[in-house]
Amino acid sequence: MKKFLLSRRLCAGILCMLLLIGTAMPAYAYFDRGDVTVTLGKSEATVTTGDTLNVSVSLSPVSARETEGCGMADCPQNCGDGCLDANGNCTCNGTEYTTYYTDVTVSSSNTSVASASYNNGNLVIKGVAAGSATITVTGSLRQYTDGSDTIKVTVSKAASASSSSDSSSDSSSDSSSNSNKKKKDSDSSSNKKKVKVGDSSDDEDSDDSSEETDEEDSADQTEKKESNITVIDSEKGTVYQTAITGKKQGKKIFQKIYGKKAYGLFQYIDEQDQLLYSYEFYGKDLTAKNSLNMTITMSDSVSSDYGLDSSAISFDIAKEDAFPGKAEVSLRVTDYYADESLVDLYYLDDSHTPVLLAEDLSVQSGYVTATLSEGGTYLLSPVTEEVAAATEDDASFVSTSSTETSTGTQHSYTPLIVAIIIIALIVVIVLGILVKKGIITVKRND
């Protein structure tokens, strides 16, 4: 009985020691000094295409003086005596202070309409094409939670200055029309090809062999005559912008940006100065430099056989031409879907079966944007309320799991404590067996 009591006391002593070790473990709360506050001087702004607008940006805090910390992803804020200095900064990796500044990033919901950059306390907005976009400014600072603010930008088309020049050129063109006509008549007569009877130089085979070359040359000549390329120096790089003509085009710009950190932006703007769709190619994503017809045809007549929502729409894009590389394609869908609504993107394969390409694309400022790498027929179908609810449930489950995982990561000593307890129990059991068998003799203190 005495041996049993001694073993029990030994167990109690070991367990008490483990309890003391557990209470001495540091509390795993991480540094959280508050939020970064970003405040823009305006919530809405209007700018014309090609012009820039400055909006003030206020940051709080602008900077913070802190020690380097212990090098962990998140430095423990209560790591025990001797770990923190008088200002509450971690001294595990040194006591010298460094000034850290708030980092500012800027993003546009539609770079085809407006681009923006941050410069010394100012948000610089540049109008690219008629339409609307939302600019988001985000501030980030170590040991603080990111903060952001937004501004809605409306871009209007700049007044055309070509009308006066057209009227002034009418008189000169009329005065020279007669002389030009005479010259053309003489040229046409002199350029007529003389063909002898039985001559086979204009046979059908000759025409076919040069048909592909003639088509490419024609596209190049059309592009040289009709293209009006604007060069934009944006924060992300040089952008070569031009209008979509409805014919094969692009080779000239692709040659400029191929393999470079530059962009080719092609836009189609209707008679009401509304941007209907656009393509943006990145030079390093290009695999070829060929021209293509970028016309997009949209329709809300989608067959019910596809099993999609009744408000699904389709759009045909470059069905006859190969893409020179992947492109960010933006479509104006305000006539079909509301802002912030979600749509799924499908591709119609050769068997006319919808193949899901992307889920939960968000409609922003009236546009939906997707990455495409080939022409064909595509479908957009809204995410139904039932699907959205199921997605929210899944997100909630993932969030809960992530929280649990995060908690487990913070208390990284838990497995060690469990291992110590298991080893201690094994030691107690072994000692109990040895005492019981008399291998170990314990003397009683009177």
Side-chain angles (χ1 to χ4, degrees):
M1 179 65 68
K2 291 180 180 179
K3 292 180 181 180
F4 173 76
L5 291 174
L6 182 60
S7 299
R8 187 169 61 182
R9 289 171 183 170
L10 182 60
C11 289
I14 293 175
L15 291 176
C16 288
M17 183 177 63
L18 293 175
L19 181 60
L20 291 174
I21 294 175
T23 55
M25 290 292 179
Y28 287 87
Y30 293 110
F31 278 118
D32 184 5
R33 302 184 185 276
D35 298 337
V36 175
T37 302
V38 179
T39 306
L40 300 180
K42 296 180 179 180
S43 59
E44 295 183 359
T46 302
V47 64
T48 56
T49 55
D51 290 342
T52 58
L53 174 69
N54 289 350
V55 177
S56 63
V57 179
S58 298
L59 302 172
S60 179
V62 176
S63 62
R65 285 183 56 78
E66 302 163 357
T67 58
E68 182 180 351
C70 62
M72 296 174 60
D74 291 298
C75 185
Q77 194 161 357
N78 298 315
C79 57
D81 294 337
C83 178
L84 304 180
D85 64 11
N87 298 320
N89 281 276
C90 179
T91 60
C92 296
N93 209 18
T95 58
E96 293 184 2
Y97 275 70
T98 302
T99 301
Y100 298 91
Y101 294 91
T102 300
D103 182 54
V104 178
T105 57
V106 179
S107 64
S108 173
S109 64
N110 195 335
T111 54
S112 298
V113 172
S115 61
S117 61
Y118 177 77
N119 183 20
N120 195 25
N122 286 297
L123 174 65
V124 183
I125 303 171
K126 184 166 186 177
V128 179
S132 60
T134 300
I135 306 297
T136 302
V137 181
T138 303
S140 303
L141 181 61
R142 72 191 304 263
Q143 299 182 356
Y144 284 81
T145 302
D146 291 357
S148 63
D149 197 6
T150 60
I151 179 172
K152 184 176 181 180
V153 178
T154 301
V155 181
S156 58
K157 188 175 182 181
S160 175
S162 60
S163 57
S164 59
S165 61
D166 291 343
S167 60
S168 62
S169 62
D170 287 343
S171 58
S172 60
S173 61
D174 290 340
S175 62
S176 60
S177 60
N178 293 330
S179 60
N180 289 337
K181 183 177 180 181
K182 292 179 181 179
K183 184 177 180 181
K184 288 180 180 178
D185 291 341
S186 61
D187 290 343
S188 61
S189 61
S190 62
N191 288 333
K192 288 181 180 178
K193 188 175 182 180
K194 297 180 181 179
V195 181
K196 296 181 180 179
V197 178
D199 191 351
S200 61
S201 60
D202 285 340
D203 62 13
E204 193 170 316
D205 292 338
S206 176
D207 291 340
D208 291 342
S209 63
S210 61
E211 182 177 353
E212 184 176 350
T213 304
D214 290 343
E215 184 179 359
E216 187 68 25
D217 291 341
S218 176
D220 292 344
Q221 292 298 326
T222 300
E223 186 171 356
K224 289 179 180 178
K225 292 179 181 179
E226 299 182 2
S227 64
N228 184 15
I229 300 175
T230 301
V231 181
I232 302 172
D233 291 326
S234 68
E235 187 179 35
K236 65 181 181 180
T238 303
V239 179
Y240 296 87
Q241 174 191 330
T242 190
I244 293 176
T245 62
K247 301 177 182 179
K248 282 192 174 184
Q249 63 180 125
K251 184 176 181 179
K252 188 174 181 180
I253 290 180
F254 296 148
Q255 289 174 337
K256 290 180 178 293
I257 69 173
Y258 187 88
K260 301 177 181 178
K261 292 182 178 179
Y263 297 82
L265 178 61
F266 302 83
Q267 301 174 320
Y268 182 79
I269 301 174
D270 65 8
E271 296 177 354
Q272 287 74 40
D273 295 335
Q274 289 291 341
L275 176 67
L276 298 188
Y277 53 86
S278 67
Y279 296 69
E280 186 176 70
F281 294 88
Y282 181 46
K284 288 187 173 292
D285 290 335
L286 293 180
T287 57
K289 306 173 186 178
N290 60 281
S291 299
L292 72 158
N293 189 330
M294 302 187 196
T295 302
I296 296 179
T297 305
M298 301 180 65
S299 173
D300 57 0
S301 299
V302 176
S303 174
S304 58
D305 295 338
Y306 297 147
L308 303 179
D309 189 86
S310 59
S311 57
I313 62 174
S314 67
F315 60 96
D316 292 332
I317 175 173
K319 298 185 72 172
E320 304 298 328
D321 303 314
F323 269 45
K326 65 181 181 180
E328 293 290 325
V329 179
S330 295
L331 290 173
R332 181 179 171 86
V333 292
T334 51
D335 294 338
Y336 308 103
Y337 309 120
D339 268 4
E340 307 298 333
S341 59
L342 302 178
V343 294
D344 292 336
L345 175 66
Y346 296 83
Y347 176 74
L348 208 59
D349 65 11
D350 294 337
S351 62
H352 295 280
T353 301
V355 178
L356 181 63
L357 292 184
E359 293 182 286
D360 297 338
L361 299 178
S362 178
V363 179
Q364 296 293 329
S365 300
Y367 295 86
V368 62
T369 302
T371 301
L372 304 180
S373 57
E374 62 179 321
T377 299
Y378 292 85
L379 305 169
L380 289 175
S381 180
V383 178
T384 61
E385 294 182 0
E386 291 79 4
V387 174
T391 303
E392 290 178 1
D393 291 341
D394 292 342
S396 176
F397 173 76
V398 171
S399 176
T400 303
S401 300
S402 299
T403 302
E404 293 174 353
T405 303
S406 176
T407 303
T409 303
Q410 291 180 5
H411 298 280
S412 58
Y413 280 100
T414 301
L416 178 61
I417 295 174
V418 172
I420 292 174
I421 293 174
I422 293 175
I423 294 172
L425 290 176
I426 294 174
V427 171
V428 169
I429 293 173
V430 171
L431 288 175
I433 295 174
L434 294 177
V435 171
K436 187 175 182 180
K437 291 185 175 182
I439 298 176
I440 296 178
T441 303
V442 181
K443 296 182 178 179
R444 181 179 179 184
N445 296 325
D446 296 330

